[in-house]
Amino acid sequence: MSKLNTQQRRHAIVAMLSEKGKVSVDELSGLFETSEVTIRKDLAELEKNGILLRRYGGAVPVPHEMVSDNAVKVSEQKLSIAKMAASRIRDHNRIVVDSGSTTAALIPLLNQKRGLVVMTNSLSVAQAIKELENEPTLLMTGGTWDPHSEAFQGQMAEQALRAYDFDQLFIGADGLDVIRGTTTFNELVGLSQVMAEVSREIVVMIESEKIGRKIPNLELPWQVITTVITDNNIDSTTKLAIEKTGTEVICAPD
């Protein structure tokens, strides 16, 4: 079998599991000509997504009674935005990835980047980074756990960030005010602002449906935002208004 990339290999594993009812690490390692460590990472990621259950030496399908119809899936818009964001990351870049489902969609797309340094305040993002085969250098902010954002916040986290400098910050938002900038329901905005301070390029990843939301707490003003990546559903008038602030607007293809 010719060498497959990560996504192709995982699709093939799922197909084999559906056909055979179980798979083994040893079998998959030989078939795909890759290490057992890589296969275990594949199985761990597929299990995390609710696709299979790991068992000693391999994996089995998830029993039907355990499959939820309400399983959360990443939207096509978020995936498209994440792909566009990933295309802007070069080998050996030092990046910050904030917590959030849109920014988290970026992580699996980093597998082909070499020599990355990634800092995050999110446990789920950190776990996803650990699963990558290219093994980026992972930095955690630490700090005080905030259940609202499901991420670390506070002065300790801010101090950790200020010890470094970064090429890019990838951050989401609860809303985007065309006049003010990114907005949030969370009153803890200090860490986001420090993330922007220590990064040369600030990339906001946001679905177009969130643009124009009236949310009271300003997170990042337009003067610090470099780029907004959104989907193709943004209207031309809003896009032009944002561009007039000096911010680049990129519409990810469907």
Side-chain angles (χ1 to χ4, degrees), residues 21-222:
K22 64 179 180 179
V23 292
S24 72
V25 172
D26 182 64
E27 172 190 26
L28 296 173
S29 176
L31 179 64
F32 298 121
E33 299 178 2
T34 191
S35 70
E36 292 187 0
V37 172
T38 295
I39 294 299
R40 289 192 182 96
K41 286 183 178 181
D42 289 339
L43 298 182
E45 183 65 20
L46 291 169
E47 183 180 52
K48 186 173 73 174
N49 291 330
I51 297 172
L52 54 75
L53 293 177
R54 285 185 293 171
R55 292 291 181 261
Y56 181 77
V60 297
V62 176
H64 290 299
E65 60 270 20
M66 292 179 62
V67 178
S68 170
D69 292 333
N70 298 318
V72 177
K73 296 181 180 180
V74 178
S75 70
E76 291 299 324
Q77 288 91 344
K78 286 182 181 180
L79 285 174
S80 184
I81 291 167
K83 288 176 183 177
M84 183 60 69
S87 71
R88 300 174 68 87
I89 300 173
R90 298 182 178 180
D91 291 344
H92 307 289
N93 270 16
R94 298 163 63 88
I95 67 175
V96 185
V97 180
D98 192 20
S99 59
S101 58
T102 306
T103 50
L106 172 66
I107 304 304
L109 304 174
L110 302 182
N111 230 350
Q112 304 306 315
K113 312 290 183 179
R114 296 178 298 169
L116 292 181
V117 176
V118 185
M119 189 169 217
T120 186
N121 62 331
S122 165
L123 286 177
S124 58
V125 168
Q127 183 59 44
I129 292 168
K130 285 174 58 182
E131 300 294 341
L132 296 178
E133 294 175 31
N134 57 346
E135 299 181 345
T137 298
L138 172 62
L139 304 174
M140 287 290 295
T141 63
T144 303
W145 180 255
D146 172 42
H148 178 87
S149 62
E150 297 189 344
F152 291 102
Q153 304 283 349
Q155 291 186 355
M156 286 183 59
E158 292 171 17
Q159 290 172 7
L161 273 162
R162 287 194 172 104
Y164 301 88
D165 62 271
F166 296 92
D167 298 299
Q168 294 159 305
L169 162 63
F170 294 91
I171 187 168
D174 293 323
L176 192 152
D177 188 318
V178 174
I179 297 174
R180 297 187 297 159
T182 64
T183 56
T184 178
F185 293 109
N186 196 346
E187 295 182 357
L188 300 175
V189 298
L191 188 64
S192 298
Q193 293 168 352
V194 174
M195 286 178 173
E197 288 174 17
V198 300
S199 303
R200 283 183 283 278
E201 180 184 7
I202 290 78
V203 180
V204 175
M205 302 168 60
I206 188 168
E207 292 170 283
S208 61
E209 65 182 25
K210 293 182 178 181
I211 298 175
R213 281 186 179 178
K214 301 298 183 182
I215 300 173
N217 300 315
L218 177 65
E219 190 167 28
L220 297 179
W222 284 118

Side-chain angles (χ1 to χ4, degrees), residues 213-234:
R213 281 186 179 178
K214 301 298 183 182
I215 300 173
N217 300 315
L218 177 65
E219 190 167 28
L220 297 179
W222 284 118
Q223 54 262 38
V224 305
I225 300 171
T226 312
T227 304
V228 169
I229 301 179
T230 187
D231 55 70
N232 265 332
N233 293 321
I234 184 174

